[in-house]
């Protein structure tokens, strides 16, 4: 195990932009690797983009039709044999957030099976160090983009906590489309010792104005949450912040939820358009709440919490109005029946795969033409705790 400790120490000491080179040097020395590539998933989750691109290297490979994509999707190592070498593709994931894939080449006949546990630890260490390094370099952020982001999308992506998160009690995944030109849709989450707070946001407007509005609302909600306020007071403080800035000319629709990780009891504040569906067993149903005013519509709007309970095995799907309000060529909204069918049809997929699958169904339902609004899907699988199973 000393070689793993050596790699971790070398990564901690490395300059932020040299992490991949440090891993390559370490794998050559300790494992006899011939070379290393590291790819990060792009914002649209369609390609894996090469970091530190050497001359002549393929800059991107598709997620859905490549060995690297197979490792990324399955979250398991995938080995390919060549004429004179063997390549091992390993997922790089941090606390459930799928970042990318590390590919290492070895001489033919190498016993790669015995190396996999150590290589997995190297990937984990690399992922953690990238999260730290992103404070000081643009290298990894730039590698994630297959094309240029709009300024509004840049602002929105900087707000996001990640694209997935996993703990023993739950697993969740989220996705935004169009990834490179999103406007006001956003999501946020925070996990503490006994609670998960999840926010799904739909800001009005387009472009920079929508991004500025959503930034204000998200940061106001975070400020209230970090001050230890309850869910209703979080909504009230954010409502005041948005109203003070816009005086009712702009507002933010938001669904706030706080999950007790032990009991599965959920507090909810429904302040606008994001909606929730639940798959329990084989039954899909919309979960409705008492509609309250969006944040910033009027001065000093009061907010109250409602409660419901999730059970182990429940799947929750959250969607912005760009999802459920999208219409087919025949004029039927996606949320009427098609969304329930998509949720049932994806019940065997892990939650990290569901948002994209639903959005692909939505695009087909919309007739293949560009959506008129950005669309957000968040999927949460509730596992519960051993005590909740016993109950």
């Amino acid at each position: 195990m000393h070689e793993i400790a050596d790699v971790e120490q070398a990564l901690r000491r490395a300059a932020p932009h040299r992490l991949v080179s440090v891993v390559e040097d370490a794998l050559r020395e300790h494992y006899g690797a011939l070379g290393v590539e590291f790819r990060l998933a792009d914002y649209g989750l369609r390609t894996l983009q090469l970091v530190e691109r050497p001359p002549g290297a393929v800059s991107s490979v598709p997620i859905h039709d490549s060995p690297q994509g197979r490792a990324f999707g399955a979250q398991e190592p995938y080995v390919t044999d060549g004429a004179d070498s063997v390549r091992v593709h390993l997922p790089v994931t941090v606390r459930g957030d799928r970042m990318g894939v590390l590919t290492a080449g070895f001489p033919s006949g190498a016993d790669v099976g015995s190396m996999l546990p150590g290589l997995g630890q190297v990937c984990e260490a690399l992922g953690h160090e990238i999260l730290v390094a992103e404070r000081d370099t643009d290298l990894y952020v730039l590698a994630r983009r297959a094309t240029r982001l709009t300024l509004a999308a840049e602002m929105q992506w900087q707000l996001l906590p990640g694209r997935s998160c996993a703990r023993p009690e739950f697993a969740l995944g989220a996705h935004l489309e169009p990834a490179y030109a999103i406007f006001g849709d956003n999501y946020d989450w925070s996990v503490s010792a006994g609670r998960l707070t999840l926010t799904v946001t739909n800001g009005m407007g387009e472009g920079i104005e929508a991004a500025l509005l959503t930034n204000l609302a998200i940061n106001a909600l975070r400020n209230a949450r970090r001050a230890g306020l309850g869910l209703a007071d979080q909504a009230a403080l954010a409502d005041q912040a948005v109203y003070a800035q816009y005086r009712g000319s702009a507002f933010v629709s938001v669904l706030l939820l706080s999950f007790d990780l032990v009991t599965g009891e959920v507090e909810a504040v429904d302040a606008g358009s994001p909606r929730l569906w639940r798959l329990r067993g084989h039954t899909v149903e919309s979960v409705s709440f008492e509609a309250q005013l969006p944040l910033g519509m009027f001065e000093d709007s009061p907010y109250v919490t409602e409660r419901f309970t999730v059970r182990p095995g429940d799947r929750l799907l959250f969607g912005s109005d760009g999802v459920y309000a999208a219409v087919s060529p025949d004029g039927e909204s996606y949320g009427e029946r098609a969304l329930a069918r998509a949720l049932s049809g994806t019940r065997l997929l892990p939650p990290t795969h569901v948002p994209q699958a639903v959005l692909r169904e939505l695009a087909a339902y919309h007739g293949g033409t560009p959506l008129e609004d950005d669309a957000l899907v968040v999927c949460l699988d509730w596992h519960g705790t051993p005590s909740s199973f016993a109950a």
Side-chain angles (χ1 to χ4, degrees):
M1 296 296 293
H2 71 278
E3 65 269 15
I4 304 302
D6 289 345
V7 176
E8 292 175 343
Q9 188 176 55
L11 283 169
R12 285 194 294 270
R13 292 176 174 175
H17 62 281
R18 292 202 69 253
L19 298 181
V20 180
S21 299
V22 167
V23 168
E24 181 169 26
D25 292 343
L27 295 191
R28 287 182 186 274
E29 177 182 354
H30 296 293
Y31 292 92
L34 302 175
V36 164
E37 289 181 352
F38 178 52
R39 297 176 183 274
L40 288 167
D42 87 300
Y43 288 109
L45 283 177
R46 295 181 178 87
T47 60
L48 290 162
Q49 303 286 123
L50 190 62
V51 179
E52 297 185 0
R53 302 165 186 171
V58 177
S59 61
S60 66
V61 296
I63 284 180
H64 298 293
D65 188 23
S66 67
Q68 297 91 335
R70 183 164 177 171
F72 182 82
Q75 287 294 285
E76 294 179 352
Y78 182 65
V79 179
T80 55
D81 289 310
D84 54 1
S85 66
V86 57
R87 287 161 63 86
V88 184
H89 311 281
L90 302 119
V92 177
T93 300
V94 178
R95 295 191 178 93
D97 191 12
R98 302 178 301 162
M99 300 175 66
V101 173
L102 181 75
T103 298
F106 299 93
S108 293
D111 182 13
V112 296
S114 65
M115 302 178 191
L116 291 180
L119 293 174
Q121 289 180 273
V122 170
C123 289
E124 184 178 357
L126 174 62
H128 280 281
E129 290 304 320
I130 286 173
L131 291 181
V132 176
E134 284 183 330
R135 299 178 308 177
D136 303 313
T137 178
D138 286 336
L139 176 67
Y140 309 104
V141 174
L142 290 172
R144 287 190 175 95
R145 54 194 71 191
T147 187
R148 183 175 179 177
L149 293 172
T150 65
L151 178 55
E154 185 92 47
M155 295 170 65
Q156 296 290 51
W157 279 107
Q158 291 301 312
L159 274 181
L160 298 178
R163 283 184 294 210
S164 51
C165 180
R167 273 190 49 163
E169 301 88 351
F170 69 88
L172 63 83
H175 193 60
L176 284 160
E177 282 291 343
Y180 292 87
I182 51 176
F183 302 132
D185 288 359
N186 210 279
Y187 57 85
D188 193 27
W189 60 66
S190 176
V191 187
S192 63
R195 191 160 292 275
L196 163 68
T197 302
L198 175 64
T199 305
V200 183
T201 308
N202 184 8
M204 66 176 292
E206 298 181 357
I208 297 299
E209 291 301 322
L212 289 169
L213 175 62
T214 303
N215 266 260
L216 174 60
I218 291 291
N219 281 292
L221 288 168
R222 287 174 176 173
N223 178 256
R225 184 185 73 226
R226 292 164 183 170
L229 301 182
L231 209 63
D233 289 334
Q234 292 175 31
L237 188 146
D239 170 70
Q240 293 168 15
V242 175
Y243 184 83
Q245 182 66 32
Y246 292 95
R247 313 303 297 180
S249 63
F251 51 85
V252 179
S253 297
V254 62
L255 179 61
L256 297 93
L257 299 108
S258 179
F259 296 77
D260 187 306
L261 297 180
V262 176
T263 66
E265 186 177 36
V266 187
E267 294 181 345
V269 173
D270 182 359
S273 61
R275 295 187 186 177
L276 167 61
W277 288 262
R278 177 175 58 210
L279 172 63
R280 176 171 289 171
H282 293 282
T283 302
V284 177
E285 58 183 343
S286 175
V287 180
S288 300
F289 303 103
E290 178 183 347
Q292 302 181 67
L293 293 172
L295 306 183
M297 181 172 282
F298 298 104
E299 188 174 13
D300 295 327
S301 298
Y303 295 94
V304 296
T305 57
E306 300 177 67
R307 296 177 185 270
F308 68 101
T309 302
V310 287
R311 302 175 186 170
D314 281 356
R315 168 166 285 181
L316 305 181
L317 189 83
F318 307 84
S320 64
D321 60 2
V323 175
Y324 65 80
V327 297
S328 70
D330 296 329
E332 182 182 38
S333 68
Y334 186 65
E336 289 181 21
R337 287 190 294 269
L339 183 57
R341 292 196 300 269
L343 186 52
S344 294
T346 58
R347 66 182 182 275
L348 299 180
L349 294 177
T352 51
H353 290 55
V354 171
Q356 270 198 303
V358 170
L359 289 169
R360 284 195 297 269
E361 291 278 346
L362 172 63
Y365 185 85
H366 197 251
T369 58
L371 298 175
E372 297 176 358
D373 193 4
D374 47 346
L376 162 65
V377 175
V378 179
C379 180
L380 169 67
D381 278 5
W382 188 258
H383 306 315
T385 61
S387 60
S388 64
F389 279 99

